[in-house]
Amino acid sequence: MVLAHNEARRIARCLDALPRAEGISIHCVVNGSTDSTAAIARSRRDVDVREYPRGGKARSWNRFVLEEAPRDIETFVFVDGDAQVAAGSVEALSLALARNPGANAAAGMPLNGRRAERYRAEMIASHGLFGDLYALRGTFVERMRQAGIRLPEDLVGDDSLIGALAKTDLGNEDCWVDARIVPCVEAGFRCDPVSWRPAQIRMQYRRMIAYSVRHRQNAIISRIMRGPGPVGLPRQLSALYREELDRAVPGRGWRWRWFDRQALRQMRQESLPA
């Protein structure tokens, strides 16, 4: 499953890098895009394209994975539309799950970027997961369906929550086992580095604010996971923003202070009644 939002510049590279083999089907979920991402994806005749008018990665993840995907999938592999998957990675993720029957997920590694080596070491040590490339066991996804567990629709960044769901086996934090995510060093992805072009700078600015929102959302999710667990996740995290805002102050160091302030302002707006 390739999740793509306004990725016309990169989606062809992303799709063309994926393996074509018996037993592998490629689905490109284009959500809320205003460019030619969907048209480019449709030009690949071996790609199933789902175009959803509403944006939102988590909302689109829920719709395809939990509602539309076939029920007999052995392994789900997730790829971001701006990532280029290294050859052999999809097969390596599937094999990692086959070799580790107690695992719910397998995680691919970043292959480029200034901090790639550091990130790889951290992921191996902590059994972490990046949203750019990972796999979930099909039976784990089926249990999510049966339990009615969904990602909050306004979730920023799916990787932290999906990692927690995998490690707790859909329970609360008392059930946490790191080994339920397998770091797969044979699987990897590359992403374009941030450039100094105006459009890229604007995108990175918005991304930094989103990271600050994600930081606050993770605090809410952590409290839920320490209590009732994933069955207590709301449809919209914004429904719980008021409680978080009451205790929140921008204070993660000067590098983040401006973005934290913008994130808190955005959260206040989203917490207001419609």
Side-chain angles (χ1 to χ4, degrees):
M1 176 187 179
V2 177
L3 276 158
H5 169 78
N6 286 344
E7 293 292 355
R9 193 165 64 87
R10 290 171 286 234
I11 193 63
R13 278 184 302 168
C14 174
L15 295 174
D16 292 346
L18 298 176
R20 270 68 171 174
E22 185 178 356
I24 296 176
S25 59
I26 301 173
H27 307 267
C28 184
V29 175
V30 184
N31 61 98
S33 287
T34 56
D35 63 7
S36 57
T37 299
I40 295 170
R42 287 194 181 96
S43 71
R44 273 62 183 170
R45 295 186 178 181
D46 52 5
V47 175
D48 168 46
V49 180
R50 311 288 176 107
E51 189 171 8
Y52 303 155
R54 294 188 69 187
K57 185 177 182 180
R59 180 185 294 110
S60 301
W61 194 101
N62 287 337
R63 178 172 171 180
F64 180 75
V65 178
L66 302 178
E67 298 174 12
E68 298 179 4
R71 306 298 288 251
D72 58 349
I73 301 298
E74 180 180 337
T75 307
F76 287 83
V77 178
F78 299 87
V79 179
D80 272 355
D82 63 347
Q84 189 171 356
V85 175
S89 295
V90 170
E91 297 88 342
L93 289 168
S94 182
L95 184 60
L97 288 176
R99 288 175 172 172
N100 294 271
N104 292 318
M109 303 284 159
L111 298 177
N112 68 328
R114 290 185 298 111
R115 300 180 180 178
E117 186 174 344
R118 172 184 159 192
Y119 286 148
R120 287 196 298 271
E122 290 176 351
M123 290 174 71
I124 292 170
S126 67
H127 293 249
L129 180 150
F130 271 17
D132 303 81
L133 175 63
Y134 66 96
L136 294 178
R137 193 181 300 278
T139 53
F140 174 76
V141 172
E142 181 59 29
R143 286 192 290 120
M144 282 188 68
R145 289 170 172 151
Q146 292 176 2
I149 295 171
R150 301 170 69 88
L151 307 183
E153 293 182 351
D154 54 353
L155 178 67
V156 177
D158 57 324
D159 43 7
S160 295
L161 178 53
I162 288 173
L165 296 177
K167 288 185 178 184
T168 61
D169 201 32
L170 304 180
N172 69 6
E173 283 193 4
D174 293 340
C175 307
W176 192 281
V177 176
D178 279 340
R180 290 186 178 128
I181 295 181
V182 181
C184 185
V185 297
E186 297 83 12
F189 63 92
R190 294 178 175 84
C191 289
D192 289 345
V194 177
S195 72
W196 291 103
R197 293 183 302 163
Q200 286 284 298
I201 293 172
R202 288 193 296 272
M203 182 178 72
Q204 184 64 16
Y205 178 81
R206 292 192 295 269
R207 184 177 292 164
M208 296 298 284
I209 296 173
Y211 288 162
S212 286
V213 172
R214 182 175 67 181
H215 174 73
R216 302 293 178 184
Q217 288 187 344
N218 283 345
I220 297 171
I221 289 171
S222 292
R223 288 194 290 274
I224 294 171
M225 293 299 289
R226 286 193 295 267
V231 293
L233 290 169
R235 180 174 179 179
Q236 298 276 347
L237 286 168
S238 58
L240 304 179
Y241 278 177
R242 284 189 176 276
E243 180 183 350
E244 177 64 19
L245 291 167
D246 288 342
R247 70 181 79 197
V249 292
R252 286 190 295 155
W254 66 270
R255 293 177 183 273
W256 285 97
R257 189 163 294 123
W258 171 261
F259 302 108
D260 282 352
R261 290 185 183 278
Q262 305 314 306
L264 290 172
R265 178 181 300 174
Q266 177 180 317
M267 292 172 69
R268 287 190 191 96
Q269 293 173 345
E270 292 176 0
S271 70
L272 297 173

